[in-house]
Amino acid sequence: MSPPVELLAFAGVMVLGQFSPGPDMLLLTRNSLKRGGRVGVVMALGIATGLAVHATIAVAGLALALERLPALRETMRWLAAGYLLWLAYRIAVAHFVVWYSGGSREERAEISTGNPYLQGLACNLLNPKAAIFLAAASAPFLRGAHPAWWPFAIWGILVGQAAVLWSAWAWLLQWAPLRNRYARLEQWIDLAFAAALAGLSIRLMWG
């Protein structure tokens, strides 16, 4: 298989991995719908920054070391679970507190607003499975004889594809009929997102 074809095959494999359901997609979808495409792109760049760290670990062959350090892996797992649970709480309280006090939609948005870049970065960076998944997906493409630039090309695909595709997803969610539907059902959709994040947190806690 020629290098361009092999890189194209790797990019195809990673497209499926990037868009598998998970906390990154949940947070990006919710923030893009609620706060607009620009905020979604900023969060996408935060996710891509986290993936840059995981991609470096994967390409450098350090994921095996992470696999052999159960204490570190467990610490990251509990931190990720706690972070997702905190985000779920923030989304839920933004509705219940304001509903109870009779506040406005703007006040509800203010309560649930956080730095989108840091949210995306923390959500991705705290997930130890990301490094292990990227290592497993990239390992077959790193074996054998390749040019010196090959690991950098693999890294570039991992990070660049994440930044471009997640940003494109954030803008696709700005389709007017979709945003209008979200505006009408905002409280229920947000609470569904909060429940999904809490479910992912519990799943992490149970290992």
Side-chain angles (χ1 to χ4, degrees):
M1 187 183 297
S2 65
V5 174
E6 193 171 356
L7 287 176
L8 187 61
F10 177 69
V13 169
M14 291 314 303
V15 167
L16 299 177
Q18 299 281 12
F19 281 93
S20 59
D24 288 342
M25 174 170 277
L26 278 175
L27 279 181
L28 181 61
T29 300
R30 190 259 178 181
N31 274 273
S32 299
L33 286 171
K34 187 177 187 67
R35 301 167 64 186
R38 291 183 183 276
V39 169
V41 170
V42 172
M43 173 165 277
L45 295 178
I47 293 172
T49 304
L51 276 173
V53 176
H54 289 310
T56 302
I57 292 172
V59 171
L62 299 176
L64 183 60
L66 180 62
E67 185 68 20
R68 291 176 176 174
L69 293 172
L72 176 60
R73 195 169 65 252
E74 285 296 294
T75 299
M76 291 177 66
R77 180 170 69 88
W78 282 98
L79 285 174
Y83 180 66
L84 293 177
L85 195 60
W86 178 81
L87 287 176
Y89 166 77
R90 292 287 294 175
I91 293 172
V93 80
H95 290 278
F96 285 119
V97 170
V98 177
W99 283 346
Y100 183 77
S101 63
S104 66
R105 179 180 177 180
E106 289 73 20
E107 290 174 311
R108 185 164 63 244
E110 185 178 349
I111 292 176
S112 62
T113 295
N115 186 303
Y117 179 85
L118 294 180
Q119 281 186 354
L121 174 63
C123 185
N124 187 272
L125 198 57
L126 289 175
N127 185 2
K129 293 183 179 179
I132 296 170
F133 166 76
L134 290 181
S138 60
F141 296 90
L142 291 169
R143 295 193 187 105
H146 291 104
W149 51 264
W150 188 259
F152 299 99
I154 294 294
W155 186 94
I157 288 174
L158 288 171
V159 179
Q161 190 181 71
V164 170
L165 292 181
W166 284 121
S167 296
W169 176 248
W171 282 114
L172 283 173
L173 291 172
Q174 305 313 303
W175 185 44
L178 187 60
R179 291 295 303 276
N180 292 336
R181 178 63 62 87
Y182 171 77
R184 289 196 297 269
L185 300 172
E186 177 185 350
Q187 63 270 30
W188 303 111
I189 294 175
D190 274 4
L191 291 175
F193 277 126
L197 289 172
L200 286 171
S201 174
I202 293 170
R203 183 179 177 185
L204 276 173
M205 290 179 188
W206 281 90

mmCIF file with all atom_site columns, all heavy atoms in Angstrom, residues 157-179:
data_model
loop_
_atom_site.group_PDB
_atom_site.id
_atom_site.type_symbol
_atom_site.label_atom_id
_atom_site.label_alt_id
_atom_site.label_comp_id
_atom_site.label_asym_id
_atom_site.label_entity_id
_atom_site.label_seq_id
_atom_site.pdbx_PDB_ins_code
_atom_site.Cartn_x
_atom_site.Cartn_y
_atom_site.Cartn_z
_atom_site.occupancy
_atom_site.B_iso_or_equiv
_atom_site.pdbx_formal_charge
_atom_site.auth_seq_id
_atom_site.auth_comp_id
_atom_site.auth_asym_id
_atom_site.auth_atom_id
_atom_site.pdbx_PDB_model_num
ATOM 1   N N   . ILE A 1 157 ? -2.743  14.052 11.258 1.00 0.00 ? 157 ILE A N   1
ATOM 2   C CA  . ILE A 1 157 ? -4.091  13.592 10.903 1.00 0.00 ? 157 ILE A CA  1
ATOM 3   C C   . ILE A 1 157 ? -4.962  13.514 12.155 1.00 0.00 ? 157 ILE A C   1
ATOM 4   O O   . ILE A 1 157 ? -6.117  13.966 12.156 1.00 0.00 ? 157 ILE A O   1
ATOM 5   C CB  . ILE A 1 157 ? -4.019  12.230 10.195 1.00 0.00 ? 157 ILE A CB  1
ATOM 6   C CG1 . ILE A 1 157 ? -3.445  12.401 8.794  1.00 0.00 ? 157 ILE A CG1 1
ATOM 7   C CG2 . ILE A 1 157 ? -5.404  11.580 10.117 1.00 0.00 ? 157 ILE A CG2 1
ATOM 8   C CD1 . ILE A 1 157 ? -3.202  11.104 8.061  1.00 0.00 ? 157 ILE A CD1 1
ATOM 9   N N   . LEU A 1 158 ? -4.424  12.951 13.234 1.00 0.00 ? 158 LEU A N   1
ATOM 10  C CA  . LEU A 1 158 ? -5.192  12.816 14.477 1.00 0.00 ? 158 LEU A CA  1
ATOM 11  C C   . LEU A 1 158 ? -5.680  14.176 14.981 1.00 0.00 ? 158 LEU A C   1
ATOM 12  O O   . LEU A 1 158 ? -6.863  14.349 15.303 1.00 0.00 ? 158 LEU A O   1
ATOM 13  C CB  . LEU A 1 158 ? -4.337  12.146 15.551 1.00 0.00 ? 158 LEU A CB  1
ATOM 14  C CG  . LEU A 1 158 ? -4.048  10.655 15.377 1.00 0.00 ? 158 LEU A CG  1
ATOM 15  C CD1 . LEU A 1 158 ? -3.017  10.193 16.400 1.00 0.00 ? 158 LEU A CD1 1
ATOM 16  C CD2 . LEU A 1 158 ? -5.315  9.848  15.518 1.00 0.00 ? 158 LEU A CD2 1
ATOM 17  N N   . VAL A 1 159 ? -4.783  15.130 15.040 1.00 0.00 ? 159 VAL A N   1
ATOM 18  C CA  . VAL A 1 159 ? -5.111  16.425 15.620 1.00 0.00 ? 159 VAL A CA  1
ATOM 19  C C   . VAL A 1 159 ? -5.859  17.314 14.630 1.00 0.00 ? 159 VAL A C   1
ATOM 20  O O   . VAL A 1 159 ? -6.892  17.910 14.958 1.00 0.00 ? 159 VAL A O   1
ATOM 21  C CB  . VAL A 1 159 ? -3.835  17.138 16.106 1.00 0.00 ? 159 VAL A CB  1
ATOM 22  C CG1 . VAL A 1 159 ? -4.166  18.502 16.702 1.00 0.00 ? 159 VAL A CG1 1
ATOM 23  C CG2 . VAL A 1 159 ? -3.111  16.275 17.141 1.00 0.00 ? 159 VAL A CG2 1
ATOM 24  N N   . GLY A 1 160 ? -5.355  17.395 13.400 1.00 0.00 ? 160 GLY A N   1
ATOM 25  C CA  . GLY A 1 160 ? -5.986  18.256 12.398 1.00 0.00 ? 160 GLY A CA  1
ATOM 26  C C   . GLY A 1 160 ? -7.390  17.818 12.061 1.00 0.00 ? 160 GLY A C   1
ATOM 27  O O   . GLY A 1 160 ? -8.308  18.642 11.933 1.00 0.00 ? 160 GLY A O   1
ATOM 28  N N   . GLN A 1 161 ? -7.588  16.516 11.929 1.00 0.00 ? 161 GLN A N   1
ATOM 29  C CA  . GLN A 1 161 ? -8.916  16.006 11.619 1.00 0.00 ? 161 GLN A CA  1
ATOM 30  C C   . GLN A 1 161 ? -9.899  16.325 12.738 1.00 0.00 ? 161 GLN A C   1
ATOM 31  O O   . GLN A 1 161 ? -11.046 16.709 12.488 1.00 0.00 ? 161 GLN A O   1
ATOM 32  C CB  . GLN A 1 161 ? -8.834  14.493 11.389 1.00 0.00 ? 161 GLN A CB  1
ATOM 33  C CG  . GLN A 1 161 ? -10.083 13.867 10.819 1.00 0.00 ? 161 GLN A CG  1
ATOM 34  C CD  . GLN A 1 161 ? -9.922  12.378 10.644 1.00 0.00 ? 161 GLN A CD  1
ATOM 35  O OE1 . GLN A 1 161 ? -9.889  11.617 11.607 1.00 0.00 ? 161 GLN A OE1 1
ATOM 36  N NE2 . GLN A 1 161 ? -9.780  11.942 9.407  1.00 0.00 ? 161 GLN A NE2 1
ATOM 37  N N   . ALA A 1 162 ? -9.446  16.196 13.982 1.00 0.00 ? 162 ALA A N   1
ATOM 38  C CA  . ALA A 1 162 ? -10.317 16.506 15.117 1.00 0.00 ? 162 ALA A CA  1
ATOM 39  C C   . ALA A 1 162 ? -10.735 17.968 15.089 1.00 0.00 ? 162 ALA A C   1
ATOM 40  O O   . ALA A 1 162 ? -11.919 18.297 15.233 1.00 0.00 ? 162 ALA A O   1
ATOM 41  C CB  . ALA A 1 162 ? -9.607  16.180 16.425 1.00 0.00 ? 162 ALA A CB  1
ATOM 42  N N   . ALA A 1 163 ? -9.773  18.870 14.898 1.00 0.00 ? 163 ALA A N   1
ATOM 43  C CA  . ALA A 1 163 ? -10.077 20.300 14.904 1.00 0.00 ? 163 ALA A CA  1
ATOM 44  C C   . ALA A 1 163 ? -11.036 20.669 13.781 1.00 0.00 ? 163 ALA A C   1
ATOM 45  O O   . ALA A 1 163 ? -12.011 21.401 13.990 1.00 0.00 ? 163 ALA A O   1
ATOM 46  C CB  . ALA A 1 163 ? -8.782  21.110 14.787 1.00 0.00 ? 163 ALA A CB  1
ATOM 47  N N   . VAL A 1 164 ? -10.797 20.132 12.590 1.00 0.00 ? 164 VAL A N   1
ATOM 48  C CA  . VAL A 1 164 ? -11.622 20.492 11.428 1.00 0.00 ? 164 VAL A CA  1
ATOM 49  C C   . VAL A 1 164 ? -13.018 19.880 11.534 1.00 0.00 ? 164 VAL A C   1
ATOM 50  O O   . VAL A 1 164 ? -14.034 20.573 11.353 1.00 0.00 ? 164 VAL A O   1
ATOM 51  C CB  . VAL A 1 164 ? -10.931 20.050 10.118 1.00 0.00 ? 164 VAL A CB  1
ATOM 52  C CG1 . VAL A 1 164 ? -11.876 20.202 8.935  1.00 0.00 ? 164 VAL A CG1 1
ATOM 53  C CG2 . VAL A 1 164 ? -9.662  20.861 9.888  1.00 0.00 ? 164 VAL A CG2 1
ATOM 54  N N   . LEU A 1 165 ? -13.097 18.586 11.835 1.00 0.00 ? 165 LEU A N   1
ATOM 55  C CA  . LEU A 1 165 ? -14.402 17.914 11.848 1.00 0.00 ? 165 LEU A CA  1
ATOM 56  C C   . LEU A 1 165 ? -15.274 18.384 13.005 1.00 0.00 ? 165 LEU A C   1
ATOM 57  O O   . LEU A 1 165 ? -16.483 18.585 12.835 1.00 0.00 ? 165 LEU A O   1
ATOM 58  C CB  . LEU A 1 165 ? -14.202 16.403 11.914 1.00 0.00 ? 165 LEU A CB  1
ATOM 59  C CG  . LEU A 1 165 ? -13.593 15.761 10.666 1.00 0.00 ? 165 LEU A CG  1
ATOM 60  C CD1 . LEU A 1 165 ? -13.476 14.254 10.838 1.00 0.00 ? 165 LEU A CD1 1
ATOM 61  C CD2 . LEU A 1 165 ? -14.415 16.075 9.423  1.00 0.00 ? 165 LEU A CD2 1
ATOM 62  N N   . TRP A 1 166 ? -14.691 18.547 14.197 1.00 0.00 ? 166 TRP A N   1
ATOM 63  C CA  . TRP A 1 166 ? -15.496 19.014 15.323 1.00 0.00 ? 166 TRP A CA  1
ATOM 64  C C   . TRP A 1 166 ? -15.967 20.452 15.092 1.00 0.00 ? 166 TRP A C   1
ATOM 65  O O   . TRP A 1 166 ? -17.097 20.810 15.462 1.00 0.00 ? 166 TRP A O   1
ATOM 66  C CB  . TRP A 1 166 ? -14.693 18.937 16.624 1.00 0.00 ? 166 TRP A CB  1
ATOM 67  C CG  . TRP A 1 166 ? -14.531 17.560 17.194 1.00 0.00 ? 166 TRP A CG  1
ATOM 68  C CD1 . TRP A 1 166 ? -13.358 16.914 17.442 1.00 0.00 ? 166 TRP A CD1 1
ATOM 69  C CD2 . TRP A 1 166 ? -15.561 16.644 17.595 1.00 0.00 ? 166 TRP A CD2 1
ATOM 70  N NE1 . TRP A 1 166 ? -13.602 15.664 17.971 1.00 0.00 ? 166 TRP A NE1 1
ATOM 71  C CE2 . TRP A 1 166 ? -14.935 15.472 18.072 1.00 0.00 ? 166 TRP A CE2 1
ATOM 72  C CE3 . TRP A 1 166 ? -16.951 16.710 17.585 1.00 0.00 ? 166 TRP A CE3 1
ATOM 73  C CZ2 . TRP A 1 166 ? -15.648 14.377 18.541 1.00 0.00 ? 166 TRP A CZ2 1
ATOM 74  C CZ3 . TRP A 1 166 ? -17.677 15.606 18.050 1.00 0.00 ? 166 TRP A CZ3 1
ATOM 75  C CH2 . TRP A 1 166 ? -17.020 14.464 18.524 1.00 0.00 ? 166 TRP A CH2 1
ATOM 76  N N   . SER A 1 167 ? -15.108 21.284 14.481 1.00 0.00 ? 167 SER A N   1
ATOM 77  C CA  . SER A 1 167 ? -15.524 22.657 14.170 1.00 0.00 ? 167 SER A CA  1
ATOM 78  C C   . SER A 1 167 ? -16.643 22.659 13.133 1.00 0.00 ? 167 SER A C   1
ATOM 79  O O   . SER A 1 167 ? -17.606 23.430 13.240 1.00 0.00 ? 167 SER A O   1
ATOM 80  C CB  . SER A 1 167 ? -14.329 23.467 13.649 1.00 0.00 ? 167 SER A CB  1
ATOM 81  O OG  . SER A 1 167 ? -13.332 23.603 14.643 1.00 0.00 ? 167 SER A OG  1
ATOM 82  N N   . ALA A 1 168 ? -16.517 21.792 12.128 1.00 0.00 ? 168 ALA A N   1
ATOM 83  C CA  . ALA A 1 168 ? -17.569 21.693 11.106 1.00 0.00 ? 168 ALA A CA  1
ATOM 84  C C   . ALA A 1 168 ? -18.887 21.237 11.738 1.00 0.00 ? 168 ALA A C   1
ATOM 85  O O   . ALA A 1 168 ? -19.968 21.735 11.376 1.00 0.00 ? 168 ALA A O   1
ATOM 86  C CB  . ALA A 1 168 ? -17.136 20.728 10.008 1.00 0.00 ? 168 ALA A CB  1
ATOM 87  N N   . TRP A 1 169 ? -18.809 20.310 12.689 1.00 0.00 ? 169 TRP A N   1
ATOM 88  C CA  . TRP A 1 169 ? -20.013 19.832 13.381 1.00 0.00 ? 169 TRP A CA  1
ATOM 89  C C   . TRP A 1 169 ? -20.675 20.982 14.150 1.00 0.00 ? 169 TRP A C   1
ATOM 90  O O   . TRP A 1 169 ? -21.902 21.126 14.141 1.00 0.00 ? 169 TRP A O   1
ATOM 91  C CB  . TRP A 1 169 ? -19.643 18.700 14.324 1.00 0.00 ? 169 TRP A CB  1
ATOM 92  C CG  . TRP A 1 169 ? -20.764 18.180 15.178 1.00 0.00 ? 169 TRP A CG  1
ATOM 93  C CD1 . TRP A 1 169 ? -20.890 18.300 16.527 1.00 0.00 ? 169 TRP A CD1 1
ATOM 94  C CD2 . TRP A 1 169 ? -21.913 17.447 14.752 1.00 0.00 ? 169 TRP A CD2 1
ATOM 95  N NE1 . TRP A 1 169 ? -22.031 17.700 16.967 1.00 0.00 ? 169 TRP A NE1 1
ATOM 96  C CE2 . TRP A 1 169 ? -22.687 17.156 15.898 1.00 0.00 ? 169 TRP A CE2 1
ATOM 97  C CE3 . TRP A 1 169 ? -22.364 16.999 13.507 1.00 0.00 ? 169 TRP A CE3 1
ATOM 98  C CZ2 . TRP A 1 169 ? -23.889 16.451 15.837 1.00 0.00 ? 169 TRP A CZ2 1
ATOM 99  C CZ3 . TRP A 1 169 ? -23.558 16.293 13.438 1.00 0.00 ? 169 TRP A CZ3 1
ATOM 100 C CH2 . TRP A 1 169 ? -24.306 16.031 14.599 1.00 0.00 ? 169 TRP A CH2 1
ATOM 101 N N   . ALA A 1 170 ? -19.854 21.806 14.801 1.00 0.00 ? 170 ALA A N   1
ATOM 102 C CA  . ALA A 1 170 ? -20.401 22.950 15.543 1.00 0.00 ? 170 ALA A CA  1
ATOM 103 C C   . ALA A 1 170 ? -21.159 23.899 14.627 1.00 0.00 ? 170 ALA A C   1
ATOM 104 O O   . ALA A 1 170 ? -22.230 24.414 14.984 1.00 0.00 ? 170 ALA A O   1
ATOM 105 C CB  . ALA A 1 170 ? -19.267 23.695 16.254 1.00 0.00 ? 170 ALA A CB  1
ATOM 106 N N   . TRP A 1 171 ? -20.649 24.120 13.423 1.00 0.00 ? 171 TRP A N   1
ATOM 107 C CA  . TRP A 1 171 ? -21.331 25.023 12.494 1.00 0.00 ? 171 TRP A CA  1
ATOM 108 C C   . TRP A 1 171 ? -22.542 24.366 11.849 1.00 0.00 ? 171 TRP A C   1
ATOM 109 O O   . TRP A 1 171 ? -23.550 25.030 11.575 1.00 0.00 ? 171 TRP A O   1
ATOM 110 C CB  . TRP A 1 171 ? -20.363 25.516 11.422 1.00 0.00 ? 171 TRP A CB  1
ATOM 111 C CG  . TRP A 1 171 ? -19.455 26.593 11.923 1.00 0.00 ? 171 TRP A CG  1
ATOM 112 C CD1 . TRP A 1 171 ? -18.099 26.534 12.080 1.00 0.00 ? 171 TRP A CD1 1
ATOM 113 C CD2 . TRP A 1 171 ? -19.834 27.897 12.370 1.00 0.00 ? 171 TRP A CD2 1
ATOM 114 N NE1 . TRP A 1 171 ? -17.611 27.700 12.598 1.00 0.00 ? 171 TRP A NE1 1
ATOM 115 C CE2 . TRP A 1 171 ? -18.656 28.567 12.773 1.00 0.00 ? 171 TRP A CE2 1
ATOM 116 C CE3 . TRP A 1 171 ? -21.055 28.565 12.472 1.00 0.00 ? 171 TRP A CE3 1
ATOM 117 C CZ2 . TRP A 1 171 ? -18.675 29.869 13.275 1.00 0.00 ? 171 TRP A CZ2 1
ATOM 118 C CZ3 . TRP A 1 171 ? -21.073 29.867 12.970 1.00 0.00 ? 171 TRP A CZ3 1
ATOM 119 C CH2 . TRP A 1 171 ? -19.890 30.508 13.351 1.00 0.00 ? 171 TRP A CH2 1
ATOM 120 N N   . LEU A 1 172 ? -22.480 23.069 11.608 1.00 0.00 ? 172 LEU A N   1
ATOM 121 C CA  . LEU A 1 172 ? -23.650 22.368 11.056 1.00 0.00 ? 172 LEU A CA  1
ATOM 122 C C   . LEU A 1 172 ? -24.846 22.451 12.003 1.00 0.00 ? 172 LEU A C   1
ATOM 123 O O   . LEU A 1 172 ? -26.000 22.499 11.559 1.00 0.00 ? 172 LEU A O   1
ATOM 124 C CB  . LEU A 1 172 ? -23.305 20.900 10.771 1.00 0.00 ? 172 LEU A CB  1
ATOM 125 C CG  . LEU A 1 172 ? -22.470 20.614 9.523  1.00 0.00 ? 172 LEU A CG  1
ATOM 126 C CD1 . LEU A 1 172 ? -22.063 19.148 9.478  1.00 0.00 ? 172 LEU A CD1 1
ATOM 127 C CD2 . LEU A 1 172 ? -23.247 20.975 8.256  1.00 0.00 ? 172 LEU A CD2 1
ATOM 128 N N   . LEU A 1 173 ? -24.557 22.487 13.290 1.00 0.00 ? 173 LEU A N   1
ATOM 129 C CA  . LEU A 1 173 ? -25.630 22.571 14.281 1.00 0.00 ? 173 LEU A CA  1
ATOM 130 C C   . LEU A 1 173 ? -26.296 23.941 14.311 1.00 0.00 ? 173 LEU A C   1
ATOM 131 O O   . LEU A 1 173 ? -27.286 24.128 15.027 1.00 0.00 ? 173 LEU A O   1
ATOM 132 C CB  . LEU A 1 173 ? -25.078 22.232 15.672 1.00 0.00 ? 173 LEU A CB  1
ATOM 133 C CG  . LEU A 1 173 ? -24.669 20.774 15.888 1.00 0.00 ? 173 LEU A CG  1
ATOM 134 C CD1 . LEU A 1 173 ? -23.953 20.616 17.226 1.00 0.00 ? 173 LEU A CD1 1
ATOM 135 C CD2 . LEU A 1 173 ? -25.874 19.846 15.834 1.00 0.00 ? 173 LEU A CD2 1
ATOM 136 N N   . GLN A 1 174 ? -25.772 24.888 13.540 1.00 0.00 ? 174 GLN A N   1
ATOM 137 C CA  . GLN A 1 174 ? -26.383 26.225 13.494 1.00 0.00 ? 174 GLN A CA  1
ATOM 138 C C   . GLN A 1 174 ? -27.499 26.307 12.456 1.00 0.00 ? 174 GLN A C   1
ATOM 139 O O   . GLN A 1 174 ? -28.060 27.392 12.235 1.00 0.00 ? 174 GLN A O   1
ATOM 140 C CB  . GLN A 1 174 ? -25.310 27.287 13.192 1.00 0.00 ? 174 GLN A CB  1
ATOM 141 C CG  . GLN A 1 174 ? -24.127 27.277 14.143 1.00 0.00 ? 174 GLN A CG  1
ATOM 142 C CD  . GLN A 1 174 ? -24.539 27.202 15.598 1.00 0.00 ? 174 GLN A CD  1
ATOM 143 O OE1 . GLN A 1 174 ? -25.292 28.047 16.083 1.00 0.00 ? 174 GLN A OE1 1
ATOM 144 N NE2 . GLN A 1 174 ? -24.067 26.168 16.305 1.00 0.00 ? 174 GLN A NE2 1
ATOM 145 N N   . TRP A 1 175 ? -27.830 25.190 11.831 1.00 0.00 ? 175 TRP A N   1
ATOM 146 C CA  . TRP A 1 175 ? -28.942 25.155 10.868 1.00 0.00 ? 175 TRP A CA  1
ATOM 147 C C   . TRP A 1 175 ? -30.207 25.697 11.545 1.00 0.00 ? 175 TRP A C   1
ATOM 148 O O   . TRP A 1 175 ? -30.592 25.244 12.617 1.00 0.00 ? 175 TRP A O   1
ATOM 149 C CB  . TRP A 1 175 ? -29.141 23.721 10.399 1.00 0.00 ? 175 TRP A CB  1
ATOM 150 C CG  . TRP A 1 175 ? -30.157 23.540 9.322  1.00 0.00 ? 175 TRP A CG  1
ATOM 151 C CD1 . TRP A 1 175 ? -30.318 24.303 8.198  1.00 0.00 ? 175 TRP A CD1 1
ATOM 152 C CD2 . TRP A 1 175 ? -31.153 22.514 9.251  1.00 0.00 ? 175 TRP A CD2 1
ATOM 153 N NE1 . TRP A 1 175 ? -31.351 23.818 7.430  1.00 0.00 ? 175 TRP A NE1 1
ATOM 154 C CE2 . TRP A 1 175 ? -31.885 22.726 8.055  1.00 0.00 ? 175 TRP A CE2 1
ATOM 155 C CE3 . TRP A 1 175 ? -31.497 21.443 10.083 1.00 0.00 ? 175 TRP A CE3 1
ATOM 156 C CZ2 . TRP A 1 175 ? -32.940 21.904 7.671  1.00 0.00 ? 175 TRP A CZ2 1
ATOM 157 C CZ3 . TRP A 1 175 ? -32.538 20.620 9.708  1.00 0.00 ? 175 TRP A CZ3 1
ATOM 158 C CH2 . TRP A 1 175 ? -33.246 20.852 8.509  1.00 0.00 ? 175 TRP A CH2 1
ATOM 159 N N   . ALA A 1 176 ? -30.813 26.695 10.927 1.00 0.00 ? 176 ALA A N   1
ATOM 160 C CA  . ALA A 1 176 ? -31.897 27.448 11.578 1.00 0.00 ? 176 ALA A CA  1
ATOM 161 C C   . ALA A 1 176 ? -33.031 26.569 12.114 1.00 0.00 ? 176 ALA A C   1
ATOM 162 O O   . ALA A 1 176 ? -33.460 26.752 13.263 1.00 0.00 ? 176 ALA A O   1
ATOM 163 C CB  . ALA A 1 176 ? -32.435 28.502 10.614 1.00 0.00 ? 176 ALA A CB  1
ATOM 164 N N   . PRO A 1 177 ? -33.588 25.621 11.339 1.00 0.00 ? 177 PRO A N   1
ATOM 165 C CA  . PRO A 1 177 ? -34.671 24.792 11.887 1.00 0.00 ? 177 PRO A CA  1
ATOM 166 C C   . PRO A 1 177 ? -34.254 24.012 13.134 1.00 0.00 ? 177 PRO A C   1
ATOM 167 O O   . PRO A 1 177 ? -35.049 23.850 14.068 1.00 0.00 ? 177 PRO A O   1
ATOM 168 C CB  . PRO A 1 177 ? -35.008 23.841 10.728 1.00 0.00 ? 177 PRO A CB  1
ATOM 169 C CG  . PRO A 1 177 ? -34.580 24.577 9.505  1.00 0.00 ? 177 PRO A CG  1
ATOM 170 C CD  . PRO A 1 177 ? -33.352 25.333 9.911  1.00 0.00 ? 177 PRO A CD  1
ATOM 171 N N   . LEU A 1 178 ? -33.000 23.579 13.155 1.00 0.00 ? 178 LEU A N   1
ATOM 172 C CA  . LEU A 1 178 ? -32.513 22.832 14.319 1.00 0.00 ? 178 LEU A CA  1
ATOM 173 C C   . LEU A 1 178 ? -32.382 23.742 15.530 1.00 0.00 ? 178 LEU A C   1
ATOM 174 O O   . LEU A 1 178 ? -32.797 23.386 16.642 1.00 0.00 ? 178 LEU A O   1
ATOM 175 C CB  . LEU A 1 178 ? -31.165 22.189 13.987 1.00 0.00 ? 178 LEU A CB  1
ATOM 176 C CG  . LEU A 1 178 ? -30.565 21.240 15.022 1.00 0.00 ? 178 LEU A CG  1
ATOM 177 C CD1 . LEU A 1 178 ? -31.496 20.056 15.270 1.00 0.00 ? 178 LEU A CD1 1
ATOM 178 C CD2 . LEU A 1 178 ? -29.200 20.746 14.556 1.00 0.00 ? 178 LEU A CD2 1
ATOM 179 N N   . ARG A 1 179 ? -31.829 24.942 15.331 1.00 0.00 ? 179 ARG A N   1
ATOM 180 C CA  . ARG A 1 179 ? -31.694 25.889 16.438 1.00 0.00 ? 179 ARG A CA  1
ATOM 181 C C   . ARG A 1 179 ? -33.065 26.324 16.963 1.00 0.00 ? 179 ARG A C   1
ATOM 182 O O   . ARG A 1 179 ? -33.253 26.486 18.167 1.00 0.00 ? 179 ARG A O   1
ATOM 183 C CB  . ARG A 1 179 ? -30.915 27.130 15.985 1.00 0.00 ? 179 ARG A CB  1
ATOM 184 C CG  . ARG A 1 179 ? -29.444 26.896 15.696 1.00 0.00 ? 179 ARG A CG  1
ATOM 185 C CD  . ARG A 1 179 ? -28.658 26.505 16.935 1.00 0.00 ? 179 ARG A CD  1
ATOM 186 N NE  . ARG A 1 179 ? -28.763 27.475 18.008 1.00 0.00 ? 179 ARG A NE  1
ATOM 187 C CZ  . ARG A 1 179 ? -28.026 28.561 18.108 1.00 0.00 ? 179 ARG A CZ  1
ATOM 188 N NH1 . ARG A 1 179 ? -27.111 28.832 17.186 1.00 0.00 ? 179 ARG A NH1 1
ATOM 189 N NH2 . ARG A 1 179 ? -28.173 29.380 19.130 1.00 0.00 ? 179 ARG A NH2 1
#
